[in-house]
């Protein structure tokens, strides 16, 4: 393998690890929220097994760079264990749904219609507001509760003169 291809694959796997790590930690909710918007059957996204696979692949690529032979072997074995663990996590529904926590609680506490409304409200927020809610899990829970209350009780503009005719 040429060196440029090796480093390109290390860079790609590193970027994927950061991407899935941000999704698991709750710092990047957009891909999961975009999934809720779709019509038809709900296809759930589980980033935790993918994160484990990416970390394992990255570990396998970086293991030969470690100068100490025993350390490289241990690092490579840990990488292989991560890849094997990702398949076990994929097969067990209670394990694959534990991370990210905000996602698991959203699935447990809301209905399909509420999740769709939350997703549409999320994607209509300005970029800075989304970034703020990505970092603050408590504020995100308040946002979810506000959207759910709007769905349950309905939202209407008190200054709309045509509201009584709708």
């Amino acid at each position: 393998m040429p060196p440029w291809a090796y480093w390109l694959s290390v860079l790609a796997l590193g970027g994927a690890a950061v991407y899935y790590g941000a999704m698991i930690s709750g710092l990047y909710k957009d891909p999961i929220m975009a999934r809720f918007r779709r019509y038809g059957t709900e296809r759930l996204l589980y980033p935790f097994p993918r994160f484990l696979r990416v970390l394992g692949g990255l570990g396998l690529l970086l293991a030969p760079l470690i100068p100490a032979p025993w350390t490289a072997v241990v690092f490579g074995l840990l990488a292989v264990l991560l890849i094997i663990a990702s398949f076990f996590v994929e097969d067990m529904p209670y394990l694959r749904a534990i991370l990210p926590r905000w996602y698991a609680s959203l699935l447990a506490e809301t209905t399909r219609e509420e999740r769709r409304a939350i997703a549409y409200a999320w994607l209509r927020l300005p970029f800075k507001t989304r970034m703020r809610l990505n970092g603050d899990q408590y504020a995100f829970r308040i946002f979810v509760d506000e959207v759910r209350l709007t769905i349950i009780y309905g939202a209407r503009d008190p200054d709309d003169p045509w509201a009584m005719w709708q």
Side-chain angles (χ1 to χ4, degrees), residues 13-28:
L13 283 175
V18 168
Y19 174 75
Y20 286 121
M23 283 175 58
I24 287 173
S25 66
L27 294 176
Y28 188 55

Side-chain angles (χ1 to χ4, degrees), residues 18-88:
V18 168
Y19 174 75
Y20 286 121
M23 283 175 58
I24 287 173
S25 66
L27 294 176
Y28 188 55
K29 296 179 176 71
D30 289 353
I32 295 177
M33 293 302 242
R35 283 274 175 128
F36 289 143
R37 292 184 334 169
R38 296 187 180 161
Y39 288 103
T41 58
E42 189 173 31
R43 292 180 51 214
L44 301 176
L45 177 68
Y46 298 111
F48 186 54
R50 293 179 185 183
F51 178 66
L52 290 177
R53 283 188 201 119
V54 166
L55 277 183
L58 190 61
L60 285 177
L61 281 177
L62 294 178
L65 297 179
I66 299 174
W70 287 105
T71 310
V73 169
V74 169
F75 198 70
L77 286 175
L78 285 176
V80 170
L81 285 176
L82 278 175
I83 293 172
I84 292 171
S86 74
F87 291 111
F88 283 117

Side-chain angles (χ1 to χ4, degrees), residues 96-110:
R96 72 175 175 224
I98 59 171
L99 289 176
R101 285 189 190 170
W102 67 269
Y103 183 53
S105 67
L106 198 65
L107 288 176
E109 297 171 2
T110 60

